Amino acid sequence: MNVTSDALFAEFFARCPELLFVASAAGGLLHESDALREVIGPASEGGATLAELAHPEDRAALLAAWAKLEQTGEPVSFRVRLRDARGAYRPLSCNAKRSPDRSAVFGSLRPISEIDDKELATLRSKARILDSIAEHVDNMILWAIDMDGVCFYHHGKGLANVGLKPGQLVGANWFHIYANQPETTGVNISVDDMRQWFDGAVRAFRTDAFGVYWDNWITPLQDERGGPVCGVLGLAFDISESKRTEQELRAQLQQIEAQQKVIRDLSTPIIEVWDGVLTLPMVGTVDSVRTADVMDSLLSKIVEKQARFAILDLTGVEVVDTKVASHLIELITAIRLLGADGIVAGIKPTVAQTMVALGLDLSQLNTQRNLRAALQHAIRSMTRPENPPRNGAATPGRPARG
């Protein structure tokens, strides 16, 4: 070659975007295009052979193709994985031919995928399945972003619920979009939260965006199983309807609880039948919950009214459970601790049998036949003089004994 030809050759190798090389008959690299130098790095300057750069599993195939090239002189094509500048092996296809004087080999390399036709068909099937799910499942959104926050998948019927179209945010950087949330987007997730999604953990949480409630699942994406995270896949379900139903149910439950409280208050009214005398008529079946309510209400009323007597009227009670009988004894004891006396009136035979069968200590229990008897007892007790007069002392309204 003359000077002009050498200059053109050098210019061609410097500017050609293809991965080109000139190798010796032994496979040593003599000249490489700048594009190939960027791929294989410093190895191009050390005169490395293609066999040295090849993956150990591919060297035999490369040497066999090189031998065929030397023997027949016909062009050869083969696949090989060459070590790149980062030390990783990159799959390439190689086309090579001997020079006319058989002293060199001209060749080109092109990147190829390691996926064969069967794997490619499987991936296409998976992609169709994913798209079908996104297109037909109601109230669902599927999306994916890479490590830089750039969205590369955004699909699902649920997008219509927030006024978006499938693929509308593909290519957009979500870190930038949500940087000023929730003021502009209505999404209560910060960019710092989003960056934590790339730690490889699977997440599930609820959030709201654009006035819609979502159930979210975040899963890591990896180039290969066990490899580094290269992105995240998000699955979101619009649960606004179920959220509204839940809120309505909670409101109904609160209303029912309030109504039940009113019913309990009405079913256990505390009446002040005489100055300092409270009565609590109970009707129907008495269970543990009702007894606990009675205890709280009655003790508070005793303190409020400064009552001296509290009458529990069980005339309308047909059945009590074993726990309730014990609670009644405890209630009478609590009444005494407040400085008042407790009277149980109108006990039915069945209730009496239950209390006796429990083996409870009933010796301190003041019982009366009915409410009238209990009330008379309370009034007599309050009108009886606290200190009876001694023999011979005068009683007000009566003459003293002679």
Side-chain angles (χ1 to χ4, degrees):
M1 291 186 182
N2 54 36
V3 176
T4 303
S5 298
D6 289 342
L8 288 174
F9 179 79
E11 183 72 13
F12 173 72
F13 264 59
R15 296 185 178 276
C16 181
E18 299 295 329
L19 309 180
L20 305 178
F21 67 87
V22 176
S24 66
L29 292 174
L30 302 176
H31 301 284
E32 310 87 24
S33 63
D34 285 2
L36 180 57
R37 285 197 184 98
E38 291 181 4
V39 172
I40 62 176
S44 62
E45 301 175 358
T49 65
L50 288 174
E52 292 172 345
L53 296 175
H55 191 282
E57 296 178 358
D58 297 345
R59 287 173 185 168
L62 184 149
L63 293 174
W66 211 261
K68 180 179 178 181
L69 183 66
E70 184 177 359
Q71 293 171 3
T72 65
E74 297 295 326
V76 294
S77 298
F78 56 92
R79 293 186 175 189
V80 64
R81 287 170 291 178
L82 295 182
R83 187 174 66 250
D84 62 17
R86 297 178 302 170
Y89 286 96
R90 183 176 301 192
L92 302 165
S93 66
C94 180
N95 294 303
K97 185 177 181 179
R98 294 289 295 271
S99 64
D101 61 2
R102 304 177 66 85
S103 63
V105 175
F106 305 137
S108 66
L109 296 165
R110 289 193 175 183
I112 60 172
S113 173
E114 292 184 291
I115 301 175
D116 57 25
D117 293 341
K118 183 178 180 180
E119 290 176 313
L120 184 59
T122 300
L123 290 176
R124 287 174 176 169
S125 296
K126 290 181 178 180
R128 286 194 296 269
I129 292 171
L130 185 65
D131 287 341
S132 179
I133 292 173
E135 291 169 1
H136 295 95
V137 177
D138 291 333
N139 299 321
M140 186 191 74
I141 297 177
L142 274 171
W143 54 266
I145 58 176
D146 62 19
M147 295 290 291
D148 297 322
V150 177
C151 177
F152 59 89
Y153 191 88
H154 195 227
H155 206 354
K157 295 182 71 175
L159 289 170
N161 299 353
V162 291
L164 298 176
K165 297 180 180 179
Q168 183 171 335
L169 296 182
V170 170
N173 190 308
W174 286 22
F175 293 162
H176 295 164
I177 291 177
Y178 297 115
N180 297 321
Q181 66 76 41
E183 292 80 4
T184 58
T185 64
V187 181
N188 59 349
I189 299 177
S190 67
V191 174
D192 290 337
D193 293 335
M194 296 175 67
R195 293 188 186 278
Q196 293 179 9
W197 295 346
F198 296 89
D199 61 6
V202 177
R203 288 175 168 80
F205 56 90
R206 287 188 174 184
T207 185
D208 59 275
F210 307 102
V212 178
Y213 289 96
W214 300 95
D215 252 343
N216 300 277
W217 285 267
I218 306 295
T219 60
L221 293 175
Q222 300 165 299
D223 286 332
E224 57 185 21
R225 189 175 297 276
V229 175
C230 61
V232 293
L233 172 68
L235 174 65
F237 277 99
D238 181 352
I239 58 168
S240 300
E241 186 64 30
S242 61
K243 186 72 174 180
R244 283 191 290 270
T245 302
E246 178 185 342
Q247 292 173 342
E248 291 172 359
L249 287 175
R250 289 184 182 276
Q252 291 175 359
L253 287 174
Q254 291 175 352
Q255 183 178 2
I256 291 172
E257 290 176 356
Q259 291 172 346
Q260 288 177 338
K261 184 179 185 303
V262 172
I263 293 172
R264 287 195 299 268
D265 292 341
L266 292 175
S267 64
T268 55
I270 301 173
I271 305 169
E272 188 174 15
V273 294
W274 196 269
D275 187 21
V277 181
L278 301 177
T279 183
L280 177 64
M282 302 183 71
V283 180
T285 301
V286 180
D287 56 20
S288 300
V289 174
R290 189 176 176 191
T291 306
D293 291 338
V294 166
M295 180 177 289
D296 292 339
S297 301
L298 182 57
L299 295 179
S300 298
K301 204 72 171 180
I302 289 172
V303 173
E304 177 187 344
K305 297 294 185 180
Q306 293 295 302
R308 292 180 57 188
F309 288 91
I311 302 172
L312 274 65
D313 184 9
L314 304 184
T315 305
V317 176
E318 298 290 343
V319 178
V320 297
D321 60 32
T322 55
K323 290 184 178 179
V324 169
S326 178
H327 288 327
L328 290 175
I329 303 298
E330 294 174 359
L331 176 57
I332 296 299
T333 303
I335 291 173
R336 288 177 177 169
L337 290 175
L338 294 179
D341 286 333
I343 305 173
V344 180
I347 297 178
K348 291 292 182 67
T350 54
V351 176
Q353 290 175 1
T354 300
M355 299 177 72
V356 171
L358 288 173
L360 299 174
D361 182 11
L362 307 178
S363 60
Q364 301 300 318
L365 192 62
N366 186 350
T367 60
Q368 299 293 327
R369 180 180 295 107
N370 51 40
L371 178 59
R372 180 177 179 178
L375 184 57
Q376 288 176 344
H377 173 80
I379 294 174
R380 283 198 305 268
S381 299
M382 288 191 298
T383 57
R384 184 182 304 147
E386 295 184 3
N387 296 312
R390 297 177 181 177
N391 291 336
T395 301
R398 294 184 183 178
R401 293 180 183 178

